[in-house]
Amino acid sequence: MSDPRINDRIRVPEVRLVGPSGEQVGIVRVEDALRLARESDLDLVEVAPNARPPVCKLMDFGKYKYEAAVKARESRKNQTNTVLKEVRFRLKIDDHDYETKVGHAKRFLTAGDKVKAMIQFRGREQQRPEMGVRLLERLATDLAEVGSVESNPRQDGRNMVMVIGPLRNKAEARREQQRQAKQQGGSRRQRERVDTRTAQPVSNSVAAAMPEQLRQQAQGGSASQAQEAPAPKPQAESKPASAPKPQAAPKPQAAAKPASAPKPQAAPKPQAAPKPRAPKPGPRP
């Protein structure tokens, strides 16, 4: 959406002027309306351009845009979009699986969403559509506390479909969840608050956790044991320490033996003369 025309951008000879507080001034020339806007330190804003003559109002245009943005943001925050959730069944579904599917459908309906229940047929199961109708009617009965049937069971090819809508819209479900969260938070804070004026000191001893009767018995038993305990025996007198024994004189060391003279080396043996070799016989003629 484009911004409205303001001040000098208004190109009409006459306008129906509205004051800052909403009072009707009447039809005036655009020059007079601009003069009044300058004197009041405000803007001349065209609020109804399709009227004859157009309707203009004296206002602070910056403040007007800010308030419009805040309203749009609040409207988007409170806007709720209903989502269509799908839950699929088989014709021969087990009881445990059926209860699980019903739990999912209840959670969706409690949150404000619609539920589309679909039964898928296989093979010869398509010849028994009445069994699918009975299953969907059972589902509608189990969900009657949180939803109502919006679309009766109908055949769609190999599938059978039924739509269940919530009893409360999504905005009401959200407000209910916020209210429950606040109550739980308040009760949790009350449980955590402790009055320190009447609180007893905490002790880590085992005796403090025992019952009073057992504690008295334990104290009586410890007193009787202390009375029956014999007196300690006097310690024997310690013997005087004996005088230290004199150390023996060191033994004299034996005299060192003189080093023996070096042995003479043996003379080298003479080498034998080489033997003469006999001449090899030559080749035969």
Side-chain angles (χ1 to χ4, degrees):
M1 181 179 178
S2 59
D3 294 336
R5 294 185 297 180
I6 62 172
N7 298 333
D8 295 334
R9 296 176 58 187
I10 302 174
R11 303 293 185 179
V12 292
E14 294 179 345
V15 296
R16 185 179 297 275
L17 186 62
V18 180
S21 302
E23 65 274 11
Q24 295 288 336
V25 180
I27 299 175
V28 298
R29 294 190 307 165
V30 67
E31 293 83 3
D32 297 337
L34 290 173
R35 180 177 54 80
L36 292 174
R38 285 192 294 269
E39 291 176 357
S40 304
D41 196 15
L42 297 173
D43 299 315
L44 182 65
V45 182
E46 188 179 37
V47 294
N50 296 328
R52 290 293 180 268
V55 180
C56 296
K57 185 177 181 180
L58 297 175
M59 67 175 69
D60 187 353
F61 186 64
K63 183 179 179 180
Y64 167 76
K65 288 186 66 176
Y66 172 75
E67 291 177 352
V70 170
K71 289 181 180 179
R73 185 164 59 250
E74 290 294 331
S75 63
R76 287 194 301 268
K77 184 188 299 184
N78 297 328
Q79 184 178 5
T80 56
N81 298 324
T82 303
V83 182
L84 183 62
K85 302 289 187 177
E86 184 173 327
V87 181
R88 297 185 179 183
F89 296 86
R90 292 289 185 186
L91 195 61
K92 298 179 181 179
I93 188 171
D94 189 67
D95 292 340
H96 178 73
D97 297 337
Y98 174 80
E99 294 297 333
T100 303
K101 301 284 186 179
V102 170
H104 294 334
K106 283 184 179 180
R107 188 175 73 252
F108 296 149
L109 292 171
T110 305
D113 296 324
K114 294 183 179 181
V115 174
K116 178 182 178 182
M118 177 185 295
I119 297 179
Q120 298 175 336
F121 293 94
R122 284 183 177 181
R124 290 182 292 179
E125 294 177 353
Q126 301 180 29
Q127 301 176 4
R128 304 297 301 274
E130 66 276 3
M131 297 179 64
V133 173
R134 287 198 297 268
L135 181 59
L136 292 179
E137 290 177 352
R138 176 188 172 188
L139 176 65
T141 304
D142 294 339
L143 299 178
E145 297 180 357
V146 292
S148 60
V149 178
E150 292 187 357
S151 175
N152 293 325
R154 57 183 177 84
Q155 193 78 20
D156 185 12
R158 292 188 175 183
N159 304 326
M160 184 172 287
V161 180
M162 182 181 68
V163 179
I164 302 176
L167 297 179
R168 297 181 302 177
N169 56 22
K170 205 159 190 177
E172 295 177 356
R174 184 179 299 175
R175 286 195 295 268
E176 182 68 19
Q177 291 177 359
Q178 292 176 357
R179 186 179 62 82
Q180 292 178 359
K182 288 182 180 179
Q183 291 180 355
Q184 292 178 359
S187 61
R188 187 181 299 110
R189 286 193 295 269
Q190 291 178 0
R191 289 196 303 268
E192 292 177 354
R193 189 179 295 113
V194 179
D195 190 2
T196 57
R197 294 173 298 180
T198 59
Q200 297 294 333
V202 180
S203 176
N204 294 329
S205 63
V206 180
M210 294 174 60
E212 187 67 24
Q213 184 178 2
L214 294 179
R215 193 185 310 169
Q216 293 177 0
Q217 293 179 2
Q219 291 177 357
S222 60
S224 61
Q225 289 179 3
Q227 294 177 0
E228 295 176 359
K233 295 181 180 181
Q235 295 182 358
E237 296 181 359
S238 58
K239 297 180 179 181
S242 58
K245 297 180 179 180
Q247 297 181 0
K251 296 180 180 182
Q253 297 181 359
K257 295 181 179 181
S260 59
K263 296 180 179 181
Q265 297 182 359
K269 296 181 179 181
Q271 297 182 358
K275 296 181 179 181
R277 295 182 179 180
K280 293 182 180 181
R284 295 183 179 180

